[in-house]
Amino acid sequence: AQRVTQPEKLLSVFKGAPVELKCNYSYSGSPELFWYVQYSRQRLQLLLRHISRESIKGFTADLNKGETSFHLKKPFAQEEDSAMYYCALSPTQGGSEKLVFGKGTKLTVNP
Amino acid sequence: DVKVTQSSRYLVKRTGEKVFLECVQDMDHENMFWYRQDPGLGLRLIYFSYDVKMKEKGDIPEGYSVSREKKERFSLILESASTNQTSMYLCASSWGRDEQYFGPGTRLTVT
C-alpha cells in the first residue's frame, strides 16, 4: 500500500533560519512526489514536484529513493512561508491518477 | 487560470438532512476529486471521478455518494448528515497525472 508520512505536525523556526520539512513514503515502484502548500485563508496549491527539479519560492526538494524520502528545504525561512505543507505521492503503476497525501506539517516562521 | 469553484464557503445543516456540495471547474479537466480536510488527519479522498458518470471510491466513501452528469460539475452528496461529517470539504480537478487544482473549500457544520 502507498503511504506518505510527515513526522512533524508542527514546526517552528525563526526568520532567516534554515527549515526542513520531512516527508517519507512507502511505495514499491517509482512514484511521482509533490509538495502542496496552503497559506492562511487561501486554497491549497502546488508548490513543487520532483520531476520538474525547480526551486519555487526558495524551496527545493530532492527525491532520495534509498531513504524513500522527499524532504522540503529552504536555507533562509521568511515569515510569509508560514503555512500548512502537505507531501503527496502519485503512484506511477496501476493507472491511478489519485494522490496520496501525508497528514501535513504546519510551519510557523517567527519574526 | 484554472478555476475551481464550490457552491458554498460555509454550510450549517441538521443531523439527518440530505446535503449537496457542488463543485465546478472551467478547464475541461477529466479528473475531479472530493476530499475531507481535518486537523491532524490531513486530506482524505472521499471519491474520485475520471470521466462523466464514472466514479471510484476513495479512502473514506462511507456516508457519501457522488454524481457527475457533466464534465465540469462534480457533486458530493451526504444522504443523511451526521455530526461526524462536520469538516472542511475540498474539491479538486486535474488533467491526467498533472497538478491538482483545488477549490476554496466548504466548511460544513452538522448540528
Side-chain angles (χ1 to χ4, degrees):
Chain A
Q2 304 102 23
R3 184 176 294 173
V4 175
T5 303
Q6 293 179 250
E8 303 132 332
K9 281 188 179 178
L10 303 171
L11 186 61
S12 183
V13 301
F14 285 103
K15 178 182 172 181
V19 63
E20 181 179 67
L21 291 90
K22 291 185 168 54
C23 173
N24 290 91
Y25 67 90
S26 173
Y27 180 60
S28 56
S30 292
E32 288 187 42
L33 285 151
F34 306 80
W35 277 99
Y36 280 79
V37 62
Q38 188 170 31
Y39 302 103
S40 180
R41 296 186 179 84
Q42 294 188 27
R43 61 185 69 194
L44 194 62
Q45 59 187 289
L46 178 68
L47 179 62
L48 56 79
R49 57 195 303 179
H50 87 272
I51 59 171
S52 62
R53 297 183 178 276
E54 291 177 302
S55 172
I56 305 291
K57 298 186 179 183
F59 284 98
T60 58
D62 290 318
L63 177 60
N64 186 323
K65 292 185 179 179
E67 295 183 359
T68 60
S69 68
F70 188 56
H71 302 328
L72 184 68
K73 299 176 184 178
K74 185 169 183 176
F76 307 104
Q78 302 300 313
E79 289 180 67
E80 55 265 30
D81 297 327
S82 295
M84 194 73 183
Y85 291 80
Y86 293 96
C87 183
L89 176 154
S90 174
T92 53
Q93 295 164 351
S96 175
E97 292 162 346
K98 296 182 282 190
L99 286 177
V100 177
F101 283 89
K103 294 184 178 180
T105 297
K106 184 175 182 179
L107 173 66
T108 302
V109 181
N110 300 297
Chain B
D1 263 359
V2 175
K3 201 164 194 179
V4 180
T5 57
Q6 295 183 229
S7 51
S8 307
R9 291 302 301 272
Y10 301 94
L11 211 51
V12 180
K13 296 292 182 181
R14 292 190 183 274
T15 301
E17 278 193 82
K18 191 168 185 176
V19 182
F20 293 86
L21 302 183
E22 301 281 329
C23 176
V24 177
Q25 51 95 3
D26 66 358
M27 283 300 291
D28 203 35
H29 283 171
E30 55 196 15
N31 300 322
M32 296 189 76
F33 308 83
W34 275 107
Y35 295 92
R36 268 186 71 151
Q37 184 181 33
D38 298 290
L41 297 178
L43 269 75
R44 293 179 292 168
L45 182 66
I46 305 171
Y47 266 99
F48 159 51
S49 170
Y50 49 92
D51 203 349
V52 174
K53 297 190 188 294
M54 306 304 286
K55 63 186 179 186
E56 194 174 302
K57 290 181 181 178
D59 301 316
I60 52 164
E62 297 78 19
Y64 303 95
S65 62
V66 290
S67 172
R68 193 163 179 204
E69 298 296 318
K70 292 185 177 182
K71 193 173 186 179
E72 68 271 19
R73 190 179 297 269
F74 191 34
S75 303
L76 180 69
I77 303 149
L78 286 67
E79 296 290 342
S80 177
S82 63
T83 55
N84 63 12
Q85 292 178 310
T86 291
S87 187
M88 174 68 86
Y89 290 87
L90 300 183
C91 176
S93 70
S94 74
W95 262 118
R97 294 185 184 283
D98 207 355
E99 171 185 355
Q100 287 191 16
Y101 292 86
F102 284 83
T106 295
R107 185 167 292 284
L108 173 67
T109 302
V110 183
T111 61

